Amino acid sequence: MAEKTLILNGTTVADGIKANLAARVAALKEKGIVPCLATILVGDDPSSATYVRMKGSACSRLGMESRRIHLGAETTTEELIAVIDGLNGDDGVHGILLQHPVPHQIDERAAFEAIAIGKDVDGVTMLGFAQNAFGMAEYPSCTPAAILAILDYYRLPMEGKHAVVVGRSPILGKPVSLMLLNRNATVTVCHSKTEGLAELVRQGDIVVAAVGKPAFIQGEWVKEGAVVLDAGYNEGNIGDVDYEACLAKASAITPVPAGVGPVTIATLLKHTVAAAERRVFQP
Ligand SMILES: Nc1nc(=O)c2c([nH]1)NC[C@@H]1CN(c3ccc(C(=O)N[C@@H](CCC(=O)O)C(=O)O)cc3)C=[N+]21
């Protein structure tokens, strides 16, 4: 049997990120600014409601402000964009997060594009994505940034390693692939049409699961000693990784809960504080 698997503790990593934020929030408050995140939830999906509530509470705990905007399931693209435009022009709001997914009648891309780049703390705009592709994003997407933060916190090397990313969504799989590439990993991006998925995952020194299917990544797919990062958030706090089976193979693994999730939220707060600082110190 191999050495004991390292459990990558997202709560610890998140606490490290949040530790320096309290002082930065206090410094802003001395200037009369309270960093404020606006979250927009469209529709009534209960787990989405939970996530935005968690984001709001995390703001309060750090002495930040949050505005929760909840729009009905029948909202049109135009109505949503009008709300975003209002927040863009509101000097009291520093960051805007539009919770994904939105109801099918909404053009999500158009709505993301409406977010002002200076308030795009979740890196969802095309410009934010492109900046990230060049390693120049001020606010890369929060979950991809969280995955990198966990690897960095535990000093797990990326350079020269084969990273296999399962999933290619615009705010998760695709940006994390580019971030790993920018850190000199060799990256394979897999998706629903990939043939021979198990064999590809088995080549991964680093495996990032970002598919949105509960316990999808099998233990037999994971190479002995691989580092496994689970960005899944399925119903009932189940990740995209078959945890017990992958734990037995991996050298390091993120659990769900208390893995990538808390670091995602800490990253969002960090970006919002940075956006507020930018307004105050470089108006
Ligand atoms: N524009 C956008 N940006 C996002 O970052 C985004 C999004 N849309 N849509 C939904 C997903 C989901 N997501 C989570 C964040 C934290 C936890 C989290 O912290 N979960 C806790 C457990 C949750 C619980 O206890 O119920 C944990 O893993 O320990 C989960 C899920 C961000 N997302």
Side-chain angles (χ1 to χ4, degrees):
M1 190 62 207
E3 283 169 59
K4 207 165 174 297
T5 305
L6 174 65
I7 310 296
L8 304 170
N9 187 333
T11 309
T12 307
V13 180
D15 286 346
I17 292 168
K18 285 186 279 190
N20 98 10
L21 291 184
R24 288 164 66 184
V25 171
L28 283 163
K29 282 185 171 171
E30 270 174 36
K31 304 249 179 218
I33 301 289
V34 184
C36 174
L37 173 71
T39 60
I40 308 171
L41 171 65
V42 188
D44 304 307
D45 176 52
S47 35
S48 291
T50 305
Y51 300 136
V52 293
R53 207 175 319 113
M54 283 166 38
K55 288 165 185 176
S57 331
C59 285
S60 319
R61 280 197 297 277
L62 263 182
M64 296 166 59
E65 207 185 305
S66 68
R67 293 204 205 159
R68 266 180 248 171
I69 293 146
H70 189 177
L71 304 175
E74 310 299 320
T75 303
T76 64
T77 304
E78 291 68 29
E79 288 164 343
L80 175 56
I81 288 176
V83 168
I84 293 168
D85 279 339
L87 296 169
N88 285 339
D90 185 335
D91 282 343
V93 171
H94 303 100
I96 300 171
L97 178 128
L98 171 59
Q99 185 77 3
H100 162 89
V102 293
H104 65 273
Q105 79 277 8
I106 290 178
D107 181 344
E108 185 180 70
R109 178 46 42 200
F112 279 154
E113 289 315 306
I115 299 173
I117 183 73
K119 299 191 181 189
D120 181 19
V121 289
D122 200 20
V124 298
T125 60
M126 287 190 195
L127 180 53
F129 180 93
Q131 289 171 337
N132 184 50
F134 286 93
M136 294 171 75
E138 209 153 356
Y139 315 122
S141 300
C142 293
T143 305
I147 289 166
L148 276 271
I150 291 168
L151 290 169
D152 279 332
Y153 180 92
Y154 285 97
R155 300 187 198 294
L156 297 166
M158 292 169 246
E159 184 161 311
K161 302 299 179 190
H162 187 181
V164 177
V165 177
V166 188
R168 56 168 161 180
S169 70
I171 62 173
L172 187 38
K174 214 174 272 180
V176 80
S177 300
L178 291 163
M179 290 169 96
L180 289 161
L181 181 61
N182 287 337
R183 296 291 295 270
N184 295 324
T186 301
V187 182
T188 298
V189 189
C190 305
H191 48 79
S192 54
K193 303 284 190 289
T194 294
E195 294 179 7
L197 179 63
E199 285 67 36
L200 288 166
V201 173
R202 215 169 271 130
Q203 291 173 27
D205 303 308
I206 298 169
V207 176
V208 177
V211 264
K213 293 181 188 158
F216 179 72
I217 306 292
Q218 305 298 299
E220 305 85 72
W221 302 1
V222 171
K223 175 163 84 175
E224 194 76 45
V227 173
V228 177
L229 299 129
D230 188 351
Y233 53 93
N234 307 290
E235 212 50 59
N237 262 335
I238 297 171
D240 287 350
V241 159
D242 182 355
Y243 183 74
E244 292 301 331
C246 293
L247 174 74
K249 304 287 284 296
S251 62
I253 190 166
T254 58
V256 176
V260 174
V263 189
T264 298
I265 293 182
T267 303
L268 179 64
L269 301 179
K270 181 176 90 170
H271 290 174
T272 304
V273 170
E277 287 171 341
R278 215 162 197 289
R279 195 90 64 72
V280 178
F281 301 116
Q282 305 160 258

